């Protein structure tokens, strides 16, 4: 479900391949052939070794070197297809570090993610990287592939990652003469769901996983998208930019100082007890931009309150009010569609889900559809796409590591939902000490969905994960940066949940306020 500009619009007879991917990889000490091989092969040699080959079911269509640029090193770009329709792209660097990085997709996938963001970071660090389209071609906002193609629906749901990894490992073996020493997965949004799906269903697949803003609770959050869209579409429920600004400013005024500094970011949300009812217009009617009508307050309530369906079988934790709802990548983009809810990404995602998974009728008006009216369809959607199993003991027992991350101003997916999963997993594995042995969770204040927003959104989680896996150096507080046009604007501590960064530096000092060293991770 990733859409970033942060939102690029990017997918079993293959049972044998999927099963094979579980062997000799992941968190065990066996990483296949760890001999010297030809790990020093150049990108050109790697391309030559793969051109025209079929390996582990993947038929290479192109293999060509890509010249170094100002941002990316020289590498071999390999495109291949696992018949009939699962497309992948493998990038083999000139100087390989011996490890494999799998980057997740976004939204309903449908295209191979480009070489940017975390994918670029991994390649620059010397990883061989792989991405896929998850088994279909299409718009990231469209689930049309799932209506009549159960094979594509299963690939999207859970099968594409183990299938592609099996082929990628063999392709790396052919290119460099040895299997990767380590294999890591990183994804945000739907890629975060793919990450947790792998940890839950294929616990031996990866040595380490980074799940950022995971869309793990597909039935739950899509259902809440549907509920909130109905509230916003109700007479008088829509929000103008001025109304969104009124809501955001009120939250900031009430809660910004709770983290030790008034800087436009509410970094201590646990201390924020703002009640939107204080903004109610006189009599509940819409009397201007300085207040919210009863219909608008109902929309806010739908968004923030926990949602539940099928007698409580499916739930979703609501969103927290952050004070940054007026950021361009927040409410207007994801929730309100200001002024027309049918332009909001949450509306578009629930609409295509209703049409193609639940009603199975593309003429269905999603705003007239009752989310749990067809329980069999809900169960089927959950079986395909939900990654809600909190029992991570098999993953823990494989000696693999997990980093969870979520932006504090994420209007697409609620960090409260990720917190709920983390808490459930902690209980399932036996308590905090057991969880700390293999997992970390971070919330980045003021950061939008996957990236962007006023907060510090840039942290090298891959380096932290690799150091943990390879050197047993468990990450604690990390450092996050906000980078604009290549220049670092500010740094902040990225604190382990439930801590938050509290300003402890000199008062009224803008230069000091921009430095992570003047903040202390503090329990709420």
């Amino acid at each position: 479900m990733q859409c970033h500009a942060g939102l690029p619009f990017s997918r079993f007879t293959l049972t044998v391949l999927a099963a094979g991917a579980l062997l000799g990889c992941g968190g065990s000490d066996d990483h296949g052939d760890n001999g010297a091989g030809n790990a020093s092969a150049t990108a050109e040699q790697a391309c030559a070794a793969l051109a025209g080959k079929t390996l582990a079911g993947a038929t290479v269509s192109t293999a060509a070197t890509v010249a170094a640029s100002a941002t990316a090193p020289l590498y071999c770009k390999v495109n291949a297809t696992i018949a009939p329709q699962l497309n992948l792209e493998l990038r083999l660097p000139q100087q390989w570090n011996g490890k494999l990085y799998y980057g997740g997709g976004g939204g309903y996938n449908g295209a191979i993610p480009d070489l940017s963001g975390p994918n670029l970071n991994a390649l620059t660090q010397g990883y061989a990287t792989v991405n896929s389209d998850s088994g279909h071609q299409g718009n990231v906002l469209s689930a049309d592939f799932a209506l009549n193609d159960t094979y594509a629906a299963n690939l999207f749901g859970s099968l594409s990652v183990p299938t592609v990894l099996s082929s990628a490992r063999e392709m790396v073996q052919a290119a460099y003469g040895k299997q990767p020493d380590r294999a890591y997965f990183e994804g945000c949004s739907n890629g975060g769901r793919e990450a947790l799906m792998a940890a839950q269903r294929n616990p031996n697949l990866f040595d380490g996983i980074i799940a950022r803003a995971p869309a793990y609770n597909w039935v739950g959050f899509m259902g809440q998208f549907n509920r909130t869209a109905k509230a916003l579409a109700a007479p008088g429920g829509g929000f103008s930019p001025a109304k969104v600004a009124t809501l955001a400013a009120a939250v900031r005024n009430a809660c910004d100082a709770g983290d030790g500094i008034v800087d436009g970011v509410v970094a201590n949300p646990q201390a924020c007890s703002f009640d939107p009812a204080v903004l109610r217009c006189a009599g509940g009617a819409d009397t201007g931009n300085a207040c919210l009508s009863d219909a608008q307050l109902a929309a806010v309530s739908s968004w923030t309150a926990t949602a539940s369906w099928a007698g409580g079988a499916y739930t979703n934790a609501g969103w927290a009010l952050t004070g940054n709802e007026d950021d361009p990548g927040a409410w207007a983009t994801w929730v309100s569609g200001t002024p027309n809810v049918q332009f909001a990404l949450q509306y578009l995602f629930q609409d295509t889900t209703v049409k193609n998974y639940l009603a199975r009728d593309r003429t269905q008006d999603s705003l007239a559809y009752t989310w749990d009216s067809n329980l069999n369809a809900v169960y089927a959607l959950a079986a395909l796409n939900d990654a809600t199993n909190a029992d991570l003991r098999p993953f823990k027992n494989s000696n693999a590591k997990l980093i969870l991350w979520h932006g504090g101003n994420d209007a697409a997916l609620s960090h409260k939902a990720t917190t709920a999963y983390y808490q459930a997993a902690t209980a399932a594995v036996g308590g905090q000490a057991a969880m700390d042995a293999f997992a970390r969770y971070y919330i980045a204040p003021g950061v939008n969905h996957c990236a962007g927003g006023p907060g510090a959104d840039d942290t090298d989680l891959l380096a932290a994960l690799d150091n943990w896996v390879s050197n047993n150096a468990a990450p604690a507080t990390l450092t996050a940066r906000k980078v604009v046009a290549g220049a670092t604007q500010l740094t902040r501590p990225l604190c382990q949940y439930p801590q938050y960064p509290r300003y402890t530096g000199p008062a009224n000092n803008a230069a000091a306020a921009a430095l992570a060293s003047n903040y202390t991770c503090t329990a709420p």
Side-chain angles (χ1 to χ4, degrees):
M1 165 97 354
Q2 183 176 356
C3 291
H4 58 78
L7 214 142
F9 298 116
S10 108
R11 244 185 171 43
F12 171 130
T13 88
L14 294 173
T15 303
V16 175
L17 291 179
L22 306 183
L23 304 177
C25 20
S28 70
D29 292 329
D30 178 10
H31 301 288
D33 177 11
N34 285 318
N38 190 25
S40 61
T42 66
E44 185 175 1
Q45 290 169 332
C47 277
L50 293 175
K53 299 288 180 63
T54 297
L55 296 160
T59 298
V60 175
S61 55
T62 61
T65 56
V66 178
S69 67
T71 57
L74 171 68
Y75 68 98
C76 169
K77 177 181 175 182
V78 183
N79 290 98
T81 299
I82 301 171
Q85 63 201 60
L86 177 53
N87 299 304
L88 66 90
E89 182 168 299
L90 181 68
R91 306 177 186 100
L92 302 169
Q94 178 82 345
Q95 295 181 313
W96 184 44
N97 68 6
K99 301 165 189 174
L100 177 62
Y101 172 92
Y102 195 137
Y108 272 115
N109 292 346
I112 293 172
D114 63 11
L115 184 58
S116 62
N119 289 324
L120 178 59
N121 176 57
L123 185 68
T124 301
Q125 292 184 30
Y127 286 85
T129 73
V130 67
N131 303 92
S132 87
D133 62 4
S134 85
H136 67 274
Q137 291 284 302
N139 190 305
V140 71
L141 291 167
S142 173
D144 283 0
F145 67 92
L147 182 60
N148 297 310
D149 190 342
T150 56
Y151 177 58
N154 277 280
L155 284 172
F156 173 80
S158 64
L159 298 182
S160 65
V161 170
T163 304
V164 167
L165 185 66
S166 176
S167 296
R169 292 180 68 89
E170 294 305 313
M171 294 166 79
V172 168
Q173 168 85 48
Y176 293 117
K178 67 187 291 290
Q179 285 276 327
D181 298 323
R182 304 288 184 192
Y184 300 131
F185 187 99
E186 179 174 11
C188 191
S189 196
N190 178 51
R193 181 194 69 91
E194 292 171 333
L196 289 182
M197 187 72 82
Q200 294 165 21
R201 299 195 186 185
N202 310 113
N204 299 306
L205 207 59
F206 295 99
D207 298 280
I209 285 175
I210 300 166
R212 297 189 295 118
Y216 73 95
N217 183 20
W218 210 262
V219 168
F221 75 75
M222 285 289 186
Q224 195 152 8
F225 287 2
N226 175 264
R227 186 180 81 171
T228 300
K230 290 173 180 174
L232 286 159
F239 274 70
S240 66
K243 292 279 192 175
V244 176
T246 291
L247 175 63
V251 178
R252 287 196 299 270
N253 290 339
C255 301
D256 192 355
D259 53 20
I261 186 171
V262 176
D263 62 352
V265 173
V266 177
N268 183 14
Q270 295 93 330
C272 183
S273 56
F274 175 77
D275 183 357
V278 302
L279 293 174
R280 184 174 187 260
C281 297
D286 191 342
T287 58
N289 289 330
C291 61
L292 300 182
S293 68
D294 282 348
Q296 289 156 351
L297 288 171
V300 174
S301 177
S302 176
W303 194 65
T304 56
T306 297
S308 176
W309 299 274
Y314 300 96
T315 62
N316 189 63
W319 283 253
L321 291 170
T322 67
N324 297 125
E325 288 77 16
D326 54 352
D327 185 88
W331 255 55
T333 295
W334 281 100
V335 185
S336 60
T338 302
N340 185 345
V341 67
Q342 294 193 21
F343 295 144
L345 292 175
Q346 286 193 359
Y347 170 86
L348 294 171
F349 275 119
Q350 66 79 31
D351 185 65
T352 194
T353 303
V354 166
K355 286 175 165 60
N356 292 290
Y357 281 101
L358 299 182
R360 305 192 64 78
D361 176 1
R362 290 184 185 150
T363 68
Q364 173 68 50
D365 177 3
S366 61
L367 296 181
Y369 186 82
T370 300
W371 188 251
D372 55 359
S373 59
N374 182 344
L375 287 179
N376 285 334
V378 170
Y379 299 152
L381 175 59
L384 282 169
N385 294 348
D386 273 9
T388 51
N389 182 2
D391 188 355
L392 294 177
R393 286 177 296 178
F395 183 76
K396 175 181 182 292
N397 293 339
S398 76
N399 296 318
K401 308 300 181 189
L402 171 68
I403 293 178
L404 287 165
W405 174 99
H406 211 119
N409 191 49
D410 190 336
L413 298 166
S414 173
H415 67 75
K416 292 172 66 177
T418 299
T419 298
Y421 180 80
Y422 175 78
Q423 292 171 338
T426 299
V429 302
Q432 196 62 58
M435 193 69 170
D436 287 346
F438 76 103
R440 291 290 184 271
Y441 175 34
Y442 299 94
I443 297 178
V447 176
N448 289 351
H449 185 54
C450 298
D457 61 352
D458 183 5
T459 307
D460 193 345
L461 298 177
L462 178 60
L465 179 68
D466 182 48
N467 195 32
W468 194 3
V469 171
S470 299
N471 302 315
N472 201 31
T477 299
L478 302 175
T479 299
R481 305 180 303 155
K482 182 171 182 61
V483 179
V484 178
T488 298
Q489 301 296 306
L490 59 87
T491 59
R492 290 286 186 276
L494 185 63
C495 303
Q496 291 185 68
Y497 176 84
Q499 295 182 318
Y500 71 93
R502 184 172 187 84
Y503 184 66
T504 52
N508 303 315
N509 187 323
L515 299 176
S517 58
N518 289 309
Y519 294 78
T520 302
C521 288
T522 305

